[in-house]
Amino acid sequence: GGVQCPNSSALQETRSCNEHSCTVYHWQTGPWGQCIEDTSVSAFNSSASWNGEATCSVGMQTRKVICVRVNVGQVGPKKCPESLRPESVRPCLLPCRKDCIVTPFSDWTVCPSSCQEGGVTAKKQTRHRVIIQLPANGGRECPDSLFEEKECEASPVCHSYRWKSHKWRRCQLVPWYVRQDSPGAHETCGPGLQARAITCRRQDGGQADISECLKYAGPLPPLTQTCQIPCQDDCQFTNWSKFSSCNGDCGGVRTRKRTLVGKSKKREKCKNSQLYPLTENQFCPCDKYSAQPVGNWSDCILPEGKLEVLLGVKVQGDIKECGQGYRYQAMACYDQNNRLVETARCNSHGYIEEACIIPCPSDCKLSEWSNWSRCSKSCGSGVKVRSKWLREKPYNGGRPCPKLDHVNQVYEVVPCHSDCSQYIWVTEPWSVCKVTNVDLKENCGEGVQTRKVRCMLNTVDGPSDTVEDYLCDPEEMPLGARKCTLPCPEDCVMSEWGPWSPCSLPCNGSSVREMSAEPLRQPDDGKSCPAATETEVCTLNKNCYHYDYNVTDWSTCQLSEKAVCGNGIRTRMLDCVRSDGKSVDLKYCEELGLEKTWQMNTTCVVECPVNCQLSDWSLWSECSQSCGLTGKMIRRRTINQPFQGDGRPCPSQMEQFKPCPVKPCYRWQYGQWSACKVEDAQCGEGTRVRNISCVVFDGSIEDVGKVVDEEFCGEIEPIIDGNKKIVLEETCTVPCPGDCYLREWSEWSLCQLTCVNGEDLGFGGIQVRSRAVIIQELENQHLCPEQALETRPCSDGQCYEYKWMASPWKGSSRTVWCQRSDGLNVTGGCLVMRQPDADRSCKPPCSQPHAYCTETRTCSCEDGYTEVMSSDGTLEQCTLIPVVVIPTMEDKKADVKTSRAVNPTQPSSNQSGRGRTWFLQPFGPDGRLKTWVYGVAAGAFVLLIFIVSMIYLACKKPKKPQRRQNNRLKPLTLAYDGDADM
């Protein structure tokens, strides 16, 4: 029901342009040049230029200003009005020079402190620095070296020796004279010592001298440890029973037991199963195993010695590594409880093998040489060319193509010389003069002569064969027709004109040349012979020429016969060139005795194709991990000889990796702490205990491990989380009602490095953990301890980038969060000042009736209402758009018709029979035109046609009566204009 759009003609306006007088000459400017420092002008006292960049001095900029004529080009500057000449020089501000700024070098990376296995390559120390500010505006450049490395001092080679510890002997009491001052010194119980034997073994288990272990296996393990012979007050137990038998089911558990004896049965502390367990469980040996592939496939590895020699041209070292090879994937073996075990348990050698193909390289293939082309010049020195074109591009590291042109061809060019008299124009004698003036009775006067002109091959015996006209010089082609005069009986008869005399050099316009003829018959009395000589001025490049030597381009490097590379010769040839640029016979330059200063030959070298030559693959390195799933072995090769010329390029793969066989990792690990137990109270300080267990894991940090028999950790020193001190019991606190207390330590945070622009500065990282304070009663807040924080250094962190992310708008709100470069959503890290808006609601809110908030955070009115704005630009109210209302005849109440605004969305309040209101709305509810609109339009169109027809008939002039035509025909007149074809 809205207002219709205007016609398309009302949506376009036109107006005249370029009504000023046309300018024939105008100034044209080029771009401003670079700002160059002007030392004659003092620097401004400003610190910022137009674009906000700091400035340090004043410079000058220049540009080219030329006078141009329309559709012609550059003309002299006097043609353009000087008053309108644009500036060609202007001052400019030079930005300050910015020197490159780099961070100090990081610390050297740590060299290995322990001994190295034999055959391990020497380690290197590295350090680096990062560019903080790039140079600009002529500032000091950045240093070339941002990374340094140096060899570590050679570590001693490891000798494989280890300490072998034997079982502890029975506990022995400490002698009485040592413990006599302690309580219970006369008793046969209490603290004692137990000893064990320590022997030195080689890695293969053989006996070795103890001095070797003292030298290479570290400090001697403790030979004695304290022990306790239980007294009467101590808890006493029976010996452990044997483990119960396994029922054969894989994954079962076997147990062993012990019992309290004597008075220990009645003591409370002896009944604490956490401190004094009476049963012990152990997994039964499991003989059901499953193998699973782990990790990525290795590179495709060829069997040893499989190198195929290329067919065709044998170049030293031209070998290719391709064909069928094998790639490998490691296999992990798991038992019934999903614990990692040795791969031999799964009857596997540790790998899955799969055949793979390394594609063979294909070299660039060119065609044979084409035939030599004709010499580029038919007179003088030129070049001739032959070419090869590309048949097949190289791929998979094949030999590259020589440098090709845009149509994939390679050319060979040699100079050539064409004898200027090799092809000559030969003319036949002139025909008889044919007089064209037929009006005279006498057969004399002006006429036309013709002759045949042919291009012929010139030999020693004279012209022989007729050839194509393009082989002769078209500029020197003789005329094939000319005017002639057939003398009348009384006229003078002259001989043919002789040749032109030569022009004297130089051709400066001061000399003339002439030709002459002889009278053969004198005229009758009263008539004279024409002039016997004719002269013309010697004009440069018209009838007078200068000559000079020129040289052709160098040829390509020409090798001796059957040679494909090495030393060769490039040649060029002399050419005699006329002053108009045309090549002519060398005799013209030789007659003038001109000096020849050019060198016609020079040496050149065609680079021989040298294929890339590689060293043999090294032996496979030691595994990068001593155990676990992710170990890799690497082998490398080096480039002994880089490729040159068209030789085979070096492959990109200079190292290959292969997964190591999977080995389970073992470590000691704490169990869970028991609940805090307070003696004889419900809260306060107490103790809690825990055990240590041997666990197997896959070598990753994420694997928490699974408990296995302690014998697997028998060779491992009890170190947990890098600490040799084993803590199995500690004090703890059970908070009393209303007390503050500290929670458990949180997990260590991620390793946070010191980074600039995503680069680690090498200062190491830090990890943090904390203990939160729990406040149960705010009144006791002043008695609460401080939050505890701990830090520790780390080196396994990463440099991350952080950026704000936002969801699509939903109404006036959206979600905004910070995301790390690894895809993790985090709290903190992003700059608060760059945080996008999460709310776009209007302020102040749109409280006016029929108003709503737009996406641009401004208040607007709903459809059918128009905005009324206040003086400060805010929405004041929404006013209903007025609609014309026409009362009908049924409305008896109103004698005077009025117009008022009615909301079309509200139903009419008039009762049925009282009257109704209707609107002039051409569109129906579905948006289409109503039927009555078409009827009104058709009626208007018919009425318009009728009016135009009436006007036309009223204004039309009556026809005049036609006159009778005269049937006489006019005579046809023919005129002859002297054309022979007529």
Side-chain angles (χ1 to χ4, degrees):
V3 180
Q4 281 187 289
C5 292
N7 295 329
S8 59
S9 59
L11 299 176
Q12 187 176 20
E13 289 184 345
T14 59
R15 66 177 182 184
S16 302
C17 60
N18 293 340
E19 294 177 333
H20 55 276
S21 58
C22 291
T23 303
V24 179
Y25 299 97
H26 65 91
W27 293 105
Q28 182 173 304
T29 59
W32 286 106
Q34 190 175 1
C35 190
I36 301 172
E37 186 173 1
D38 186 4
T39 55
S40 63
V41 181
S42 61
F44 285 120
N45 290 327
S46 61
S47 60
S49 64
W50 302 290
N51 58 1
E53 188 176 1
T55 56
C56 292
S57 61
V58 179
M60 300 297 290
Q61 275 181 300
T62 60
R63 64 177 176 181
K64 190 176 182 181
V65 179
I66 59 173
C67 183
V68 176
R69 181 173 180 175
V70 177
N71 298 329
V72 174
Q74 184 176 357
V75 295
K78 293 182 179 179
K79 299 283 187 181
C80 295
E82 188 65 29
S83 61
L84 300 178
R85 181 179 184 130
E87 293 291 334
S88 60
V89 180
R90 71 175 182 186
C92 56
L93 295 179
L94 281 169
C96 295
R97 293 186 178 92
K98 286 185 179 179
D99 294 338
C100 177
I101 302 177
V102 295
T103 63
F105 272 109
S106 62
D107 293 335
W108 289 103
T109 55
V110 181
C111 283
S113 56
S114 59
C115 62
Q116 300 294 305
E117 298 290 340
V120 175
T121 56
K123 299 288 185 180
K124 292 184 178 181
Q125 285 180 287
T126 60
R127 66 175 184 175
H128 65 273
R129 53 184 172 182
V130 178
I131 297 174
I132 299 176
Q133 176 176 288
L134 291 170
N137 310 318
R140 187 174 64 248
E141 293 294 325
C142 293
D144 294 332
S145 173
L146 298 175
F147 177 83
E148 291 183 353
E149 65 178 9
K150 65 180 181 180
E151 299 283 345
C152 290
E153 294 183 4
S155 301
V157 178
C158 292
H159 294 272
S160 299
Y161 296 99
R162 61 183 175 85
W163 293 108
K164 169 68 175 176
S165 57
H166 299 269
K167 288 186 178 181
W168 291 104
R169 298 196 182 99
R170 193 163 55 86
C171 187
Q172 301 287 334
L173 284 176
V174 179
W176 178 80
Y177 65 86
V178 174
R179 57 190 178 96
Q180 60 182 346
D181 294 332
S182 62
H186 298 282
E187 298 176 5
T188 57
C189 65
L193 288 175
Q194 59 183 158
R196 64 175 176 181
I198 302 291
T199 56
C200 182
R201 300 290 178 92
R202 292 192 296 271
Q203 269 318 90
D204 58 3
Q207 194 80 20
D209 191 81
I210 196 168
S211 61
E212 300 294 336
C213 285
L214 289 172
K215 191 174 182 181
Y216 297 115
L220 181 71
L223 291 170
T224 60
Q225 70 176 7
T226 57
C227 58
Q228 190 80 17
I229 295 179
C231 298
Q232 290 181 358
D233 293 337
D234 294 340
C235 297
Q236 296 191 12
F237 302 90
T238 61
N239 291 328
W240 284 106
S241 66
K242 290 184 179 181
F243 277 107
S244 61
S245 59
C246 288
N247 55 11
D249 184 16
C250 186
V253 176
R254 57 182 183 177
T255 59
R256 64 176 182 174
K257 297 180 180 180
R258 64 179 179 178
T259 57
L260 291 165
V261 295
K263 296 180 181 180
S264 299
K265 294 180 180 180
K266 296 180 181 180
R267 294 195 179 104
E268 284 298 323
K269 70 172 184 178
C270 297
K271 295 179 181 180
N272 187 346
S273 59
Q274 295 287 340
L275 290 175
Y276 307 109
L278 298 178
T279 59
E280 194 172 62
N281 298 327
Q282 191 181 63
F283 287 105
C284 289
C286 185
D287 55 359
K288 292 184 179 179
Y289 304 100
S290 60
Q292 298 177 15
V294 292
N296 298 322
W297 286 99
S298 72
D299 297 314
C300 193
I301 300 168
L302 290 175
E304 295 295 330
K306 184 170 182 179
L307 300 177
E308 300 179 8
V309 180
L310 281 174
L311 301 176
V313 180
K314 298 277 184 73
V315 184
Q316 182 181 3
D318 191 2
I319 56 175
K320 58 178 181 177
E321 297 184 1
C322 61
Q324 180 174 312
Y326 295 92
R327 61 178 189 164
Y328 302 89
Q329 188 178 26
M331 293 287 293
C333 187
Y334 294 91
D335 65 8
Q336 187 75 11
N337 297 303
N338 205 29
R339 296 180 297 187
L340 192 63
V341 296
E342 299 289 339
T343 54
R345 302 277 184 93
C346 292
N347 298 322
S348 168
H349 64 286
Y351 293 110
I352 304 174
E353 287 187 12
E354 185 178 84
C356 54
I357 298 294
I358 298 178
C360 293
S362 176
D363 299 337
C364 174
K365 293 181 177 61
L366 300 176
S367 68
E368 297 298 325
W369 284 110
S370 66
N371 295 327
W372 288 105
S373 67
R374 287 183 182 272
C375 196
S376 61
K377 289 186 178 178
S378 58
C379 173
S381 299
V383 293
K384 57 182 181 179
V385 181
R386 65 176 182 174
S387 61
K388 291 181 178 182
W389 58 90
L390 178 66
R391 281 185 172 172
E392 188 176 320
K393 290 183 179 180
Y395 55 89
N396 294 334
R399 272 201 212 90
C401 295
K403 190 173 182 181
L404 303 174
D405 66 356
H406 67 285
V407 292
N408 289 332
Q409 290 187 350
V410 61
Y411 296 96
E412 188 175 3
V413 181
V414 294
C416 57
H417 185 82
S418 296
D419 187 0
C420 292
S421 60
Q422 181 179 4
Y423 301 101
I424 58 172
W425 295 107
V426 177
T427 59
E428 293 184 359
W430 289 104
S431 66
V432 178
C433 186
K434 295 180 180 179
V435 178
T436 57
N437 192 347
V438 297
D439 290 340
L440 299 176
K441 295 179 180 179
E442 299 178 2
N443 189 17
C444 63
E446 290 187 353
V448 176
Q449 278 181 303
T450 60
R451 63 179 176 183
K452 285 188 176 181
V453 180
R454 290 193 297 267
C455 180
M456 300 188 73
L457 176 65
N458 193 20
T459 62
V460 179
D461 300 329
S464 60
D465 300 327
T466 302
V467 294
E468 296 290 337
D469 285 353
Y470 73 85
L471 294 174
C472 292
D473 188 355
E475 295 180 5
E476 295 183 358
M477 183 178 183
L479 294 174
R482 69 176 181 181
K483 290 182 180 180
C484 61
T485 302
L486 193 64
C488 295
E490 68 276 6
D491 291 341
C492 177
V493 178
M494 301 293 292
S495 66
E496 294 284 340
W497 286 105
W500 286 103
S501 63
C503 285
S504 59
L505 299 177
C507 306
N508 51 16
S510 61
S511 59
V512 295
R513 68 174 184 172
E514 63 180 21
M515 62 179 179
S516 59
E518 300 291 336
L520 299 179
R521 186 181 73 186
Q522 294 296 327
D524 289 351
D525 295 339
K527 291 190 176 183
S528 62
C529 287
T533 61
E534 188 173 325
T535 62
E536 70 176 6
V537 177
C538 290
T539 305
L540 181 64
N541 294 340
K542 182 180 179 183
N543 53 20
C544 182
Y545 300 96
H546 296 158
Y547 299 92
D548 202 356
Y549 281 118
N550 196 7
V551 287
T552 64
D553 292 333
W554 286 107
S555 70
T556 50
C557 197
Q558 303 296 306
L559 304 173
S560 58
E561 190 178 359
K562 295 184 179 179
V564 294
C565 63
N567 294 323
I569 295 177
R570 291 197 303 163
T571 59
R572 58 184 177 180
M573 299 185 75
L574 270 180
D575 194 16
C576 187
V577 181
R578 212 163 64 180
S579 53
D580 61 350
K582 183 181 177 183
S583 295
V584 295
D585 201 293
L586 285 173
K587 68 180 181 182
Y588 291 97
C589 291
E590 291 170 350
E591 289 171 356
L592 296 175
L594 298 175
E595 184 181 0
K596 305 174 185 178
T597 59
W598 288 279
Q599 181 183 356
M600 295 295 104
N601 297 321
T602 183
T603 58
C604 58
V605 176
V606 175
E607 194 175 19
C608 291
V610 176
N611 289 326
C612 174
Q613 295 194 29
L614 305 172
S615 66
D616 293 332
W617 286 107
S618 66
L619 298 176
W620 289 104
S621 67
E622 293 290 327
C623 190
S624 59
Q625 306 287 340
S626 59
C627 63
L629 307 178
T630 59
K632 291 182 181 178
M633 298 184 291
I634 297 176
R635 66 174 185 176
R636 295 180 175 87
R637 58 182 174 182
T638 56
I639 298 175
N640 292 340
Q641 170 67 56
F643 83 101
Q644 295 177 8
D646 295 336
R648 185 177 307 286
C650 296
S652 58
Q653 188 181 45
M654 301 304 293
E655 65 178 29
Q656 289 181 332
F657 89 92
K658 182 180 178 182
C660 303
V662 175
K663 293 182 180 179
C665 299
Y666 300 99
R667 68 176 177 222
W668 291 104
Q669 185 170 295
Y670 284 122
Q672 293 292 324
W673 285 108
S674 66
C676 188
K677 187 171 183 180
V678 181
E679 290 285 339
D680 303 327
Q682 292 183 347
C683 63
E685 283 200 359
T687 57
R688 60 178 184 175
V689 295
R690 62 181 175 183
N691 295 323
I692 62 169
S693 307
C694 178
V695 297
V696 61
F697 66 107
D698 60 12
S700 64
I701 301 175
E702 296 80 15
D703 189 5
V704 296
K706 292 183 172 61
V707 177
V708 293
D709 198 299
E710 291 186 0
E711 65 184 26
F712 290 106
C713 296
E715 302 290 331
I716 301 174
E717 187 176 359
I719 298 177
I720 303 178
D721 296 333
N723 194 349
K724 292 184 178 181
K725 185 178 179 182
I726 305 300
V727 179
L728 299 179
E729 183 177 345
E730 69 175 9
T731 58
C732 57
T733 303
V734 176
C736 296
D739 286 351
C740 296
Y741 65 95
L742 288 171
R743 297 201 63 175
E744 296 298 322
W745 284 106
S746 66
E747 296 292 329
W748 286 105
S749 68
L750 289 173
C751 188
Q752 186 67 41
L753 300 180
T754 306
C755 303
V756 173
N757 297 332
E759 288 284 341
D760 177 20
L761 297 184
F763 300 137
I766 192 170
Q767 284 179 290
V768 183
R769 68 173 182 174
S770 62
R771 295 181 71 179
V773 179
I774 302 299
I775 303 173
Q776 298 189 78
E777 299 289 344
L778 288 177
E779 293 80 7
N780 300 331
Q781 184 174 355
H782 64 285
L783 302 174
C784 295
E786 293 292 330
Q787 179 183 3
L789 287 172
E790 273 190 0
T791 62
R792 70 179 182 186
C794 58
S795 60
D796 58 346
Q798 295 183 15
C799 286
Y800 294 107
E801 294 181 0
Y802 301 86
K803 65 178 180 179
W804 289 106
M805 306 295 289
S807 66
W809 288 102
K810 289 185 178 180
S812 60
S813 64
R814 64 176 176 179
T815 305
V816 175
W817 69 94
C818 182
Q819 190 175 83
R820 208 166 62 185
S821 53
D822 62 350
L824 191 68
N825 297 337
V826 295
T827 303
C830 296
L831 294 176
V832 178
M833 64 184 69
R834 295 184 182 176
Q835 183 174 355
D837 290 333
D839 180 31
R840 62 178 182 190
S841 57
C842 295
K843 294 181 181 179
C846 306
S847 57
Q848 298 84 353
H850 306 290
Y852 69 96
C853 187
T854 65
E855 292 184 1
T856 57
R857 304 178 80 168
T858 58
C859 293
S860 184
C861 292
E862 297 173 352
D863 291 341
Y865 294 85
T866 184
E867 293 88 355
V868 178
M869 310 301 289
S870 64
S871 59
D872 59 353
T874 59
L875 181 68
E876 193 168 277
Q877 65 177 357
C878 291
T879 305
L880 184 68
I881 298 174
V883 179
V884 176
V885 179
I886 301 177
T888 64
M889 291 297 295
E890 296 178 5
D891 192 354
K892 304 293 184 179
K893 295 178 66 177
D895 296 330
V896 181
K897 296 180 176 61
T898 59
S899 294
R900 60 187 179 86
V902 175
N903 186 355
T905 62
Q906 294 178 353
S908 176
S909 60
N910 291 345
Q911 298 296 324
S912 177
R914 296 284 303 251
R916 72 172 183 269
T917 303
W918 58 279
F919 303 95
L920 290 175
Q921 297 207 13
F923 293 97
D926 57 354
R928 298 183 179 181
L929 285 171
K930 295 182 179 178
T931 307
W932 65 265
V933 177
Y934 293 104
V936 171
F941 180 76
V942 171
L943 180 61
L944 181 64
I945 295 296
F946 176 75
I947 294 172
V948 171
S949 302
M950 292 298 102
I951 295 173
Y952 174 75
L953 293 174
C955 299
K956 185 179 180 184
K957 292 181 180 180
K959 289 186 179 181
K960 294 181 181 180
Q962 293 185 352
R963 296 180 181 176
R964 291 186 64 185
Q965 297 290 333
N966 190 352
N967 292 329
R968 287 177 53 196
L969 295 174
K970 292 183 179 179
L972 177 65
T973 304
L974 297 177
Y976 175 63
D977 60 358
D979 188 359
D981 294 333
M982 186 69 181

